[in-house]
Amino acid sequence: KNIFIKYSQFIHFFFYIILIIKNIFLQHYSSVTEAKIIVEPIKKVSKGYGFIRFSDKEESFKAIKEMNGKKIRGENIYVKED
């Protein structure tokens, strides 16, 4: 089960953001299996959104409820079902 995450488009260090987001979600949800940040193909910068994959569907719904509107590195994130 995937969830969609939107965050500031001004975060350009996308490899760093993948690690931050995945680690934050892993701290709270053990079924996180992958974090993917969507990047602009030419400039190689984050487009401001990505996806977190869960192996447990119920835990993904819990993450949506608990993480929507939370701050990561000072930026609110928007989390919804993909």
Side-chain angles (χ1 to χ4, degrees):
K1 178 72 184 162
N2 287 341
I3 64 171
F4 171 84
I5 299 175
K6 179 155 178 51
Y7 55 91
S8 171
Q9 292 188 26
F10 299 106
I11 302 172
H12 296 300
F13 304 102
F14 65 91
F15 291 114
Y16 182 62
I17 290 302
I18 291 169
L19 294 175
I20 290 172
I21 290 174
K22 187 172 183 180
N23 286 334
I24 288 171
F25 274 79
L26 274 172
Q27 288 173 4
H28 296 94
Y29 312 103
S30 60
S31 69
V32 170
T33 60
E34 183 181 2
K36 182 176 183 179
I37 303 302
I38 307 305
V39 298
E40 197 282 322
I42 295 172
K43 294 182 181 180
K44 303 292 186 201
V45 296
S46 166
K47 286 190 169 188
Y49 65 96
F51 301 89
I52 301 286
R53 177 169 288 163
F54 289 79
S55 59
D56 181 330
K57 184 177 180 179
E58 294 304 315
E59 194 167 59
S60 72
F61 291 130
K62 182 180 176 187
I64 292 168
K65 182 178 178 181
E66 294 176 352
M67 298 300 283
N68 189 39
K70 298 289 184 186
K71 286 191 181 228
I72 294 182
R73 306 289 289 186
E75 297 286 339
N76 286 338
I77 61 170
Y78 171 70
V79 183
K80 69 175 190 172
E81 186 175 356
D82 177 37

Coordinates of all heavy atoms in Angstrom, one line a residue:
K1 N 0.8 -1.2 0.0 CA 0.0 0.0 0.0 C 0.9 1.2 0.0 O 1.8 1.4 0.8 CB -0.9 0.0 1.2 CG -1.8 1.1 1.4 CD -2.9 1.1 0.4 CE -3.7 2.3 0.5 NZ -4.5 2.5 -0.7
N2 N 0.6 2.2 -0.9 CA 1.4 3.4 -1.0 C 0.6 4.6 -0.4 O -0.6 4.6 -0.4 CB 1.7 3.8 -2.4 CG 2.7 2.9 -3.1 OD1 3.5 2.3 -2.4 ND2 2.8 2.9 -4.4
I3 N 1.3 5.5 0.2 CA 0.7 6.8 0.6 C 1.5 7.9 -0.1 O 2.6 7.8 -0.4 CB 0.6 7.0 2.1 CG1 2.0 7.1 2.7 CG2 -0.2 6.0 2.8 CD1 2.0 7.6 4.2
F4 N 0.8 9.0 -0.4 CA 1.3 10.1 -1.1 C 1.8 11.2 -0.1 O 1.0 11.4 0.9 CB 0.3 10.7 -2.0 CG 0.6 12.0 -2.7 CD1 1.4 12.1 -3.8 CD2 0.2 13.2 -2.1 CE1 1.7 13.3 -4.4 CE2 0.5 14.4 -2.7 CZ 1.2 14.5 -3.9
I5 N 2.9 11.8 -0.3 CA 3.4 12.8 0.6 C 3.8 14.1 -0.2 O 4.5 13.9 -1.2 CB 4.7 12.4 1.4 CG1 4.4 11.2 2.2 CG2 5.2 13.5 2.2 CD1 5.6 10.6 2.9
K6 N 3.3 15.2 0.2 CA 3.7 16.5 -0.5 C 4.4 17.3 0.6 O 4.0 17.4 1.7 CB 2.5 17.2 -1.0 CG 2.8 18.6 -1.6 CD 1.8 19.0 -2.6 CE 2.2 20.3 -3.2 NZ 3.5 20.5 -3.8
Y7 N 5.5 18.0 0.2 CA 6.3 18.8 1.1 C 6.8 20.0 0.2 O 6.5 20.1 -0.9 CB 7.4 18.0 1.7 CG 8.3 17.3 0.7 CD1 9.4 18.0 0.2 CD2 7.9 16.1 0.1 CE1 10.2 17.4 -0.8 CE2 8.7 15.5 -0.8 CZ 9.8 16.1 -1.3 OH 10.6 15.6 -2.3
S8 N 7.6 20.8 0.9 CA 8.1 22.0 0.2 C 8.9 21.7 -1.0 O 9.7 20.8 -1.0 CB 9.0 22.8 1.2 OG 9.7 23.8 0.5
Q9 N 8.6 22.4 -2.1 CA 9.4 22.2 -3.3 C 10.8 22.8 -3.3 O 11.6 22.7 -4.2 CB 8.6 22.8 -4.5 CG 7.3 22.1 -4.8 CD 6.7 22.5 -6.1 OE1 7.3 23.1 -7.0 NE2 5.4 22.3 -6.2
F10 N 11.0 23.5 -2.2 CA 12.3 24.2 -2.0 C 13.4 23.2 -1.4 O 14.5 23.6 -1.2 CB 12.2 25.4 -1.2 CG 11.3 26.4 -1.8 CD1 10.0 26.6 -1.3 CD2 11.7 27.1 -3.0 CE1 9.2 27.5 -2.0 CE2 10.8 28.0 -3.6 CZ 9.6 28.2 -3.1
I11 N 13.0 22.0 -1.2 CA 14.0 21.0 -0.7 C 14.6 20.3 -1.9 O 14.0 19.5 -2.5 CB 13.3 20.0 0.3 CG1 12.6 20.7 1.4 CG2 14.3 19.0 0.8 CD1 11.7 19.8 2.3
H12 N 15.8 20.7 -2.2 CA 16.5 20.2 -3.4 C 17.4 19.0 -3.2 O 17.8 18.3 -4.1 CB 17.3 21.3 -4.1 CG 16.4 22.4 -4.5 ND1 15.4 22.2 -5.5 CD2 16.3 23.7 -4.2 CE1 14.8 23.4 -5.7 NE2 15.3 24.3 -4.9
F13 N 17.7 18.7 -2.0 CA 18.6 17.6 -1.7 C 17.8 16.3 -1.6 O 17.7 15.8 -0.5 CB 19.5 17.9 -0.4 CG 20.2 19.1 -0.5 CD1 19.8 20.3 0.1 CD2 21.4 19.2 -1.3 CE1 20.5 21.5 0.0 CE2 22.0 20.4 -1.4 CZ 21.6 21.6 -0.8
F14 N 17.3 15.8 -2.7 CA 16.3 14.7 -2.6 C 16.8 13.4 -2.0 O 16.1 12.7 -1.4 CB 15.7 14.5 -4.0 CG 16.6 14.0 -5.1 CD1 16.7 12.6 -5.3 CD2 17.3 14.8 -5.9 CE1 17.5 12.1 -6.3 CE2 18.1 14.4 -6.9 CZ 18.2 13.0 -7.1
F15 N 18.1 13.1 -2.2 CA 18.6 11.8 -1.6 C 18.6 12.0 -0.1 O 18.2 11.0 0.6 CB 20.1 11.5 -2.0 CG 20.1 11.2 -3.5 CD1 20.8 12.0 -4.4 CD2 19.5 10.0 -3.9 CE1 20.9 11.6 -5.7 CE2 19.6 9.7 -5.3 CZ 20.3 10.5 -6.2
Y16 N 18.9 13.1 0.4 CA 18.9 13.4 1.9 C 17.4 13.4 2.4 O 17.1 12.8 3.4 CB 19.5 14.8 2.1 CG 19.6 15.2 3.5 CD1 20.3 14.5 4.4 CD2 18.9 16.4 3.9 CE1 20.4 15.0 5.8 CE2 19.0 16.8 5.2 CZ 19.7 16.1 6.1 OH 19.8 16.5 7.4
I17 N 16.5 13.9 1.6 CA 15.1 13.9 2.0 C 14.5 12.5 2.0 O 13.7 12.2 2.9 CB 14.3 14.9 1.1 CG1 14.6 16.3 1.3 CG2 12.8 14.6 1.2 CD1 14.4 16.7 2.8
I18 N 14.9 11.7 1.1 CA 14.4 10.3 1.1 C 14.8 9.6 2.4 O 14.0 9.0 3.1 CB 15.0 9.5 -0.1 CG1 14.5 10.0 -1.4 CG2 14.8 8.0 0.1 CD1 15.2 9.4 -2.6
L19 N 16.1 9.8 2.8 CA 16.5 9.2 4.1 C 15.8 9.8 5.3 O 15.4 9.1 6.2 CB 18.0 9.4 4.2 CG 18.9 8.7 3.2 CD1 20.4 9.1 3.4 CD2 18.7 7.2 3.4
I20 N 15.6 11.1 5.3 CA 14.9 11.7 6.4 C 13.5 11.2 6.5 O 13.0 10.8 7.6 CB 14.9 13.3 6.3 CG1 16.3 13.8 6.5 CG2 13.9 13.9 7.3 CD1 16.4 15.3 6.2
I21 N 12.7 11.3 5.4 CA 11.3 10.8 5.4 C 11.2 9.4 5.8 O 10.4 9.0 6.6 CB 10.7 11.2 4.1 CG1 10.5 12.7 3.9 CG2 9.3 10.5 4.0 CD1 10.0 13.1 2.6
K22 N 12.0 8.5 5.1 CA 11.9 7.1 5.4 C 12.3 6.8 6.9 O 11.6 6.1 7.5 CB 12.9 6.3 4.5 CG 12.7 4.8 4.7 CD 13.4 4.0 3.6 CE 13.2 2.5 3.8 NZ 13.9 1.8 2.8
N23 N 13.3 7.5 7.4 CA 13.7 7.2 8.8 C 12.6 7.7 9.8 O 12.3 7.0 10.8 CB 15.0 7.9 9.1 CG 16.2 7.1 8.5 OD1 16.1 5.9 8.3 ND2 17.3 7.8 8.3
I24 N 12.0 8.8 9.5 CA 10.9 9.3 10.4 C 9.7 8.4 10.3 O 9.2 8.0 11.4 CB 10.5 10.8 10.0 CG1 11.6 11.7 10.4 CG2 9.2 11.1 10.6 CD1 11.4 13.1 9.9
F25 N 9.3 7.9 9.1 CA 8.2 7.0 9.1 C 8.6 5.6 9.7 O 7.8 5.0 10.4 CB 7.8 6.8 7.6 CG 6.7 7.9 7.2 CD1 7.1 9.1 6.9 CD2 5.4 7.6 7.2 CE1 6.2 10.1 6.5 CE2 4.5 8.5 6.8 CZ 4.9 9.8 6.5
L26 N 9.8 5.2 9.5 CA 10.3 3.9 10.1 C 10.3 4.0 11.6 O 10.0 3.0 12.3 CB 11.6 3.5 9.6 CG 11.7 2.7 8.3 CD1 13.1 2.6 7.8 CD2 11.0 1.4 8.5
Q27 N 10.5 5.1 12.2 CA 10.5 5.3 13.7 C 9.1 5.0 14.2 O 9.0 4.5 15.3 CB 10.9 6.7 14.1 CG 12.4 7.0 13.9 CD 12.7 8.4 14.2 OE1 11.9 9.2 14.6 NE2 14.0 8.8 13.9
H28 N 8.1 5.3 13.4 CA 6.7 5.1 13.9 C 6.0 3.9 13.3 O 5.0 3.5 13.9 CB 5.9 6.4 13.5 CG 6.4 7.6 14.2 ND1 7.3 8.5 13.7 CD2 6.2 8.1 15.5 CE1 7.6 9.5 14.5 NE2 6.9 9.3 15.6
Y29 N 6.4 3.5 12.1 CA 5.7 2.4 11.4 C 6.6 1.4 10.9 O 7.4 1.6 10.0 CB 4.9 3.0 10.3 CG 4.1 4.3 10.7 CD1 4.5 5.5 10.4 CD2 2.9 4.1 11.5 CE1 3.8 6.7 10.8 CE2 2.3 5.2 11.9 CZ 2.7 6.5 11.6 OH 2.0 7.6 12.0
S30 N 6.6 0.2 11.4 CA 7.5 -0.9 11.1 C 7.3 -1.5 9.7 O 8.2 -2.1 9.2 CB 7.5 -2.0 12.2 OG 6.2 -2.5 12.2
S31 N 6.2 -1.2 9.1 CA 5.9 -1.9 7.8 C 6.3 -1.0 6.6 O 6.1 -1.4 5.5 CB 4.4 -2.3 7.7 OG 3.6 -1.1 7.6
V32 N 7.0 0.1 6.8 CA 7.6 0.9 5.7 C 8.6 0.1 5.0 O 9.6 -0.4 5.6 CB 8.2 2.2 6.2 CG1 8.9 3.0 5.1 CG2 7.1 3.1 6.8
T33 N 8.4 0.0 3.7 CA 9.4 -0.8 2.9 C 10.2 0.1 1.9 O 11.3 -0.3 1.5 CB 8.7 -1.9 2.1 OG1 7.7 -1.3 1.2 CG2 8.0 -2.9 3.0
E34 N 9.6 1.2 1.5 CA 10.3 2.0 0.5 C 9.8 3.5 0.6 O 8.7 3.8 1.0 CB 10.0 1.5 -0.9 CG 10.6 2.2 -2.0 CD 10.2 1.7 -3.4 OE1 9.4 0.7 -3.5 OE2 10.8 2.2 -4.4
A35 N 10.7 4.4 0.3 CA 10.4 5.8 0.2 C 10.9 6.3 -1.2 O 12.0 6.0 -1.6 CB 11.1 6.6 1.3
K36 N 10.1 7.0 -1.9 CA 10.4 7.4 -3.3 C 10.1 8.9 -3.4 O 8.9 9.3 -3.2 CB 9.7 6.6 -4.3 CG 10.1 7.0 -5.7 CD 9.4 6.1 -6.8 CE 9.9 6.5 -8.1 NZ 9.3 5.7 -9.2
I37 N 11.0 9.7 -3.7 CA 10.8 11.1 -4.0 C 10.9 11.3 -5.5 O 11.8 10.9 -6.2 CB 11.9 12.0 -3.3 CG1 12.0 11.7 -1.8 CG2 11.7 13.4 -3.5 CD1 10.7 11.9 -1.0
I38 N 9.9 12.1 -6.0 CA 9.8 12.3 -7.4 C 10.7 13.5 -7.7 O 10.6 14.6 -7.1 CB 8.4 12.6 -7.8 CG1 7.4 11.5 -7.4 CG2 8.3 12.8 -9.4 CD1 7.9 10.1 -7.8
V39 N 11.5 13.3 -8.8 CA 12.5 14.4 -9.1 C 12.3 14.9 -10.6 O 11.8 14.2 -11.4 CB 14.0 13.9 -9.0 CG1 14.3 13.5 -7.5 CG2 14.3 12.7 -9.9
E40 N 12.7 16.1 -10.8 CA 12.7 16.7 -12.1 C 13.8 16.1 -12.9 O 15.0 16.1 -12.4 CB 12.8 18.2 -11.9 CG 12.4 19.0 -13.2 CD 13.5 19.0 -14.3 OE1 14.7 19.1 -14.0 OE2 13.1 19.0 -15.4
P41 N 13.6 15.5 -14.0 CA 14.6 14.6 -14.6 C 15.8 15.4 -15.1 O 16.9 14.8 -15.1 CB 13.9 14.0 -15.8 CG 12.6 14.7 -16.0 CD 12.3 15.4 -14.7
I42 N 15.7 16.6 -15.6 CA 16.9 17.3 -16.1 C 17.7 18.0 -15.0 O 18.9 17.8 -15.0 CB 16.4 18.4 -17.1 CG1 15.8 17.7 -18.3 CG2 17.6 19.2 -17.6 CD1 15.1 18.6 -19.3
K43 N 17.0 18.7 -14.1 CA 17.8 19.4 -13.0 C 18.1 18.5 -11.9 O 18.9 18.8 -11.0 CB 17.0 20.6 -12.5 CG 16.8 21.7 -13.6 CD 16.1 22.8 -13.0 CE 15.9 23.9 -14.0 NZ 15.1 25.1 -13.5
K44 N 17.4 17.3 -11.8 CA 17.7 16.3 -10.7 C 17.3 16.9 -9.3 O 18.1 16.7 -8.4 CB 19.1 15.8 -10.7 CG 19.5 15.1 -12.0 CD 18.7 13.9 -12.2 CE 19.2 13.1 -13.5 NZ 18.3 12.2 -14.0
V45 N 16.3 17.7 -9.3 CA 15.8 18.3 -8.0 C 14.4 17.8 -7.7 O 13.7 17.4 -8.6 CB 15.8 19.8 -8.0 CG1 17.2 20.4 -8.1 CG2 14.9 20.4 -9.0
S46 N 14.1 17.7 -6.4 CA 12.8 17.3 -6.0 C 11.7 18.1 -6.5 O 11.8 19.3 -6.6 CB 12.8 17.3 -4.4 OG 11.5 17.2 -4.0
K47 N 10.6 17.4 -6.9 CA 9.4 18.1 -7.4 C 8.5 18.5 -6.2 O 7.4 19.0 -6.4 CB 8.6 17.3 -8.4 CG 9.3 17.2 -9.7 CD 8.4 16.6 -10.7 CE 8.9 16.7 -12.1 NZ 7.9 16.3 -13.1
G48 N 8.9 18.1 -5.0 CA 8.1 18.4 -3.8 C 7.1 17.4 -3.4 O 6.2 17.7 -2.5
Y49 N 7.2 16.2 -3.9 CA 6.3 15.1 -3.5 C 6.9 13.8 -3.6 O 8.0 13.6 -4.3 CB 4.9 15.2 -4.2 CG 5.0 14.9 -5.7 CD1 4.7 13.6 -6.2 CD2 5.3 15.9 -6.6 CE1 4.8 13.4 -7.5 CE2 5.3 15.7 -7.9 CZ 5.0 14.4 -8.4 OH 5.1 14.1 -9.7
G50 N 6.3 12.8 -3.0 CA 6.9 11.4 -3.1 C 5.9 10.4 -2.6 O 4.7 10.8 -2.3
F51 N 6.3 9.2 -2.4 CA 5.5 8.1 -1.9 C 6.2 7.3 -0.9 O 7.4 7.1 -1.0 CB 5.1 7.2 -3.1 CG 4.4 8.0 -4.2 CD1 5.1 8.6 -5.2 CD2 3.0 8.1 -4.2 CE1 4.4 9.3 -6.2 CE2 2.3 8.8 -5.1 CZ 3.1 9.4 -6.2
I52 N 5.5 6.8 0.1 CA 6.0 5.8 1.0 C 5.2 4.5 0.8 O 4.0 4.5 0.8 CB 5.8 6.3 2.5 CG1 6.4 7.6 2.7 CG2 6.2 5.3 3.5 CD1 7.9 7.6 2.9
R53 N 5.9 3.4 0.7 CA 5.3 2.1 0.5 C 5.3 1.4 1.9 O 6.3 1.3 2.6 CB 6.0 1.3 -0.5 CG 5.4 -0.1 -0.7 CD 5.9 -0.8 -1.9 NE 5.3 -0.1 -3.0 CZ 5.8 -0.3 -4.3 NH1 6.9 -1.0 -4.5 NH2 5.2 0.4 -5.3
F54 N 4.1 0.8 2.2 CA 3.9 0.0 3.4 C 3.6 -1.4 3.0 O 2.9 -1.7 2.0 CB 2.8 0.5 4.2 CG 3.0 1.9 4.9 CD1 2.9 3.0 4.2 CD2 3.3 1.9 6.2 CE1 3.1 4.3 4.8 CE2 3.5 3.2 6.8 CZ 3.4 4.3 6.1
S55 N 4.1 -2.4 3.8 CA 3.7 -3.8 3.6 C 2.3 -4.1 4.3 O 1.7 -5.1 4.0 CB 4.7 -4.7 4.1 OG 5.0 -4.5 5.5
D56 N 1.9 -3.2 5.2 CA 0.7 -3.4 6.0 C -0.3 -2.3 5.7 O 0.0 -1.1 6.0 CB 1.0 -3.4 7.5 CG -0.2 -3.6 8.4 OD1 -1.3 -3.2 8.0 OD2 0.0 -4.1 9.5
K57 N -1.4 -2.6 5.1 CA -2.4 -1.6 4.6 C -3.0 -0.9 5.8 O -3.1 0.4 5.7 CB -3.5 -2.4 3.9 CG -4.5 -1.5 3.3 CD -5.6 -2.3 2.5 CE -6.6 -1.4 1.9 NZ -7.6 -2.2 1.1
E58 N -3.3 -1.5 6.9 CA -3.8 -0.9 8.1 C -2.9 0.2 8.7 O -3.3 1.3 9.1 CB -4.3 -1.9 9.1 CG -5.4 -2.8 8.7 CD -6.6 -2.0 8.3 OE1 -7.0 -1.0 9.0 OE2 -7.2 -2.3 7.2
E59 N -1.6 -0.2 8.7 CA -0.6 0.8 9.2 C -0.4 2.0 8.3 O -0.2 3.1 8.7 CB 0.8 0.1 9.4 CG 1.7 0.9 10.2 CD 2.9 0.1 10.7 OE1 3.7 -0.4 9.9 OE2 3.1 0.1 11.9
S60 N -0.7 1.8 7.0 CA -0.6 2.9 6.1 C -1.7 3.9 6.4 O -1.5 5.1 6.3 CB -0.6 2.5 4.6 OG -1.9 2.0 4.2
F61 N -2.9 3.4 6.7 CA -4.0 4.3 7.0 C -3.7 5.0 8.3 O -4.1 6.2 8.5 CB -5.3 3.5 7.2 CG -5.9 3.0 5.8 CD1 -6.2 1.7 5.7 CD2 -6.0 3.8 4.7 CE1 -6.7 1.2 4.5 CE2 -6.5 3.4 3.5 CZ -6.8 2.0 3.4
K62 N -3.1 4.3 9.3 CA -2.7 4.9 10.6 C -1.7 6.1 10.3 O -1.8 7.1 10.9 CB -2.1 3.9 11.5 CG -1.7 4.4 12.8 CD -1.1 3.3 13.7 CE -0.7 3.8 15.0 NZ 0.1 2.8 15.8
A63 N -0.8 5.8 9.4 CA 0.2 6.8 9.1 C -0.4 8.1 8.5 O 0.0 9.2 8.8 CB 1.3 6.3 8.1
I64 N -1.4 7.9 7.6 CA -2.1 9.0 7.0 C -2.7 9.9 8.1 O -2.6 11.1 8.1 CB -3.1 8.5 6.0 CG1 -2.4 7.9 4.7 CG2 -4.0 9.7 5.5 CD1 -3.4 7.1 3.8
K65 N -3.4 9.2 8.9 CA -4.1 9.9 10.0 C -3.1 10.7 10.9 O -3.4 11.8 11.3 CB -5.0 9.0 10.8 CG -5.8 9.6 11.9 CD -6.6 8.6 12.6 CE -7.4 9.2 13.7 NZ -8.2 8.2 14.5
E66 N -2.1 10.0 11.3 CA -1.1 10.6 12.3 C -0.1 11.6 11.7 O 0.3 12.5 12.4 CB -0.4 9.4 13.0 CG -1.3 8.6 13.9 CD -0.6 7.4 14.5 OE1 0.6 7.1 14.1 OE2 -1.2 6.7 15.3
M67 N 0.3 11.4 10.5 CA 1.4 12.2 9.9 C 0.9 13.4 9.1 O 1.7 14.3 8.8 CB 2.3 11.3 9.1 CG 3.0 10.2 9.9 SD 4.0 10.8 11.2 CE 5.5 11.4 10.3
N68 N -0.3 13.4 8.6 CA -0.8 14.5 7.8 C -0.7 15.8 8.6 O -1.2 15.9 9.7 CB -2.2 14.3 7.3 CG -2.6 15.3 6.3 OD1 -1.9 15.7 5.5 ND2 -3.9 15.7 6.4
G69 N 0.0 16.8 8.1 CA 0.1 18.1 8.8 C 1.3 18.2 9.7 O 1.6 19.3 10.2
K70 N 2.0 17.1 9.9 CA 3.2 17.1 10.7 C 4.3 17.9 10.1 O 4.3 18.1 8.9 CB 3.7 15.7 11.1 CG 2.7 14.9 11.8 CD 2.6 15.3 13.2 CE 1.7 14.4 14.0 NZ 1.4 14.9 15.3
K71 N 5.3 18.3 10.9 CA 6.5 19.1 10.3 C 7.6 18.1 10.2 O 7.9 17.3 11.1 CB 6.8 20.2 11.2 CG 5.9 21.4 11.1 CD 6.4 22.6 11.7 CE 5.4 23.7 11.6 NZ 5.9 24.9 11.1
I72 N 8.3 18.2 9.1 CA 9.6 17.5 8.8 C 10.6 18.6 8.4 O 10.4 19.3 7.4 CB 9.5 16.4 7.8 CG1 8.6 15.3 8.2 CG2 10.9 15.9 7.4 CD1 8.4 14.1 7.3
R73 N 11.6 18.7 9.2 CA 12.6 19.7 9.0 C 12.0 21.1 8.8 O 12.4 21.9 7.9 CB 13.5 19.4 7.8 CG 14.1 18.0 7.8 CD 15.2 17.9 8.8 NE 16.4 18.6 8.3 CZ 17.5 18.6 9.0 NH1 17.7 17.9 10.0 NH2 18.5 19.4 8.5
G74 N 11.0 21.4 9.6 CA 10.4 22.7 9.6 C 9.3 22.9 8.6 O 8.8 24.0 8.5
E75 N 9.0 21.9 7.8 CA 8.0 22.1 6.7 C 6.9 21.1 7.0 O 7.1 19.9 7.3 CB 8.6 21.7 5.3 CG 9.8 22.6 4.9 CD 9.3 23.9 4.4 OE1 8.1 24.0 4.1 OE2 10.1 24.8 4.3
N76 N 5.6 21.6 6.9 CA 4.5 20.8 7.0 C 4.4 19.8 5.8 O 4.7 20.2 4.7 CB 3.2 21.6 7.0 CG 3.0 22.3 8.3 OD1 3.5 21.9 9.4 ND2 2.2 23.4 8.3
I77 N 4.0 18.6 6.1 CA 3.8 17.6 5.0 C 2.3 17.3 4.9 O 1.6 17.4 5.9 CB 4.6 16.3 5.3 CG1 4.2 15.6 6.6 CG2 6.1 16.6 5.2 CD1 4.8 14.2 6.7
Y78 N 1.9 17.0 3.7 CA 0.6 16.6 3.4 C 0.6 15.2 3.0 O 1.3 14.7 2.1 CB 0.1 17.5 2.3 CG -1.3 17.1 1.7 CD1 -2.4 17.3 2.4 CD2 -1.4 16.5 0.4 CE1 -3.7 16.9 1.9 CE2 -2.6 16.1 -0.1 CZ -3.7 16.3 0.6 OH -4.9 15.9 0.1
V79 N -0.2 14.3 3.7 CA -0.2 12.9 3.5 C -1.6 12.4 3.2 O -2.5 12.8 3.9 CB 0.3 12.2 4.8 CG1 0.4 10.7 4.5 CG2 1.7 12.7 5.2
K80 N -1.7 11.6 2.1 CA -3.0 11.1 1.8 C -2.8 9.7 1.1 O -1.7 9.3 0.7 CB -3.8 12.0 0.8 CG -3.2 12.2 -0.5 CD -4.1 13.0 -1.4 CE -3.6 12.9 -2.9 NZ -4.5 13.6 -3.8
E81 N -3.9 9.0 0.9 CA -3.9 7.7 0.3 C -3.6 7.9 -1.2 O -4.0 8.8 -1.9 CB -5.3 7.1 0.4 CG -5.3 5.7 -0.1 CD -6.6 5.0 0.2 OE1 -7.5 5.6 0.9 OE2 -6.8 3.8 -0.3
D82 N -2.7 7.0 -1.7 CA -2.4 7.1 -3.1 C -3.4 6.3 -4.0 O -3.7 5.2 -3.6 CB -0.9 6.5 -3.3 CG -0.5 6.5 -4.8 OD1 -0.9 7.4 -5.5 OD2 0.1 5.5 -5.2

